[in-house]
Amino acid sequence: INAVAFSTNSLARDALEDYVGYDFAHSVPGGVLSGAAAGLTSSFVRGPAERLKTVQQVVDCESGRFKSTYSTAMTLAREHGVFRGLFTGTGATIAREIPQCAVYFLTYDVIKSKCVKALCGDVDIRDAPYSARGASIVLAGGSAGAFQWLLTYPLDVTKSRIQAAQPGTYKGVVDCAMKSVAS
């Protein structure tokens, strides 16, 4: 999942550099666009993976229907069809992942750049010593991860509720959110 997200972000950033220019690709709008692209593409892998994980975490495991990831996938596909069984909640995953990845990659880039500047002065990040880049990557990754969850946690709750419910329980993300707030 992360390989898809990080690869897409990198490819989108490279495409922005090629077609719009380096300055735009590394600006706030460029960071948001490449992060949003990462969120969109990774959702098609993350949605089904999280559907399986959520079902295994909350559904009666004593029945033996959900012993492994494979048996869970086969059971859901057999009982609800492939699309409803495996992709239930993917729309909610997309709604969460686009802003989440946009926030993550933008925050990550800003913090990493600021850390390198604090450690090395006004040096281009590509020319900074590996130790400074490494420390900056760790701090930026952790900080960006925490920040993204602060902003997108309500969307994650909605996604998880849709994925844990029987298909057809909710009409969509808004319906689930409204019912959740009401209850």
Side-chain angles (χ1 to χ4, degrees):
I1 295 166
N2 287 336
V4 172
F6 279 81
S7 296
T8 302
N9 182 68
S10 181
L11 290 170
R13 178 74 46 102
D14 290 349
L16 289 171
E17 283 182 22
D18 291 346
Y19 295 105
V20 185
Y22 181 88
D23 289 340
F24 180 79
H26 295 274
S27 68
V28 170
V32 169
L33 284 173
S34 60
L40 177 63
T41 58
S42 66
S43 293
F44 294 100
V45 180
R46 187 177 300 273
E50 288 193 11
R51 166 76 165 143
L52 296 175
K53 173 196 68 130
T54 301
V55 167
Q56 286 183 298
Q57 288 175 339
V58 300
V59 174
D60 172 33
C61 295
E62 303 301 319
S63 68
R65 292 169 53 222
F66 306 115
K67 289 183 196 176
S68 68
T69 303
Y70 178 78
S71 71
T72 302
M74 292 297 105
T75 300
L76 290 173
R78 186 175 52 256
E79 291 179 1
H80 305 290
V82 172
F83 185 75
R84 286 193 113 187
L86 301 179
F87 287 87
T88 292
T90 298
T93 302
I94 292 168
R96 180 198 68 192
E97 284 297 297
I98 290 175
Q100 186 174 40
C101 284
V103 167
Y104 176 85
F105 285 108
L106 177 63
T107 305
Y108 172 82
D109 287 341
V110 168
I111 293 173
K112 184 174 72 171
S113 176
K114 299 260 186 221
C115 286
V116 168
K117 284 189 192 289
L119 293 170
C120 302
D122 206 16
V123 172
D124 187 292
I125 196 164
R126 296 170 287 188
D127 298 327
Y130 181 75
S131 59
R133 288 192 321 250
S136 299
I137 287 168
V138 170
L139 182 63
S143 300
F147 188 63
Q148 76 173 4
W149 280 111
L150 284 172
L151 297 178
T152 60
Y153 192 74
L155 289 169
D156 186 61
V157 171
T158 302
K159 177 212 55 86
S160 295
R161 287 184 178 188
I162 290 170
Q163 289 178 324
Q166 288 291 325
T169 301
Y170 300 108
K171 294 175 187 157
V173 176
V174 174
D175 181 51
C176 178
M178 299 284 282
K179 288 179 179 174
S180 296
V181 169
S183 70

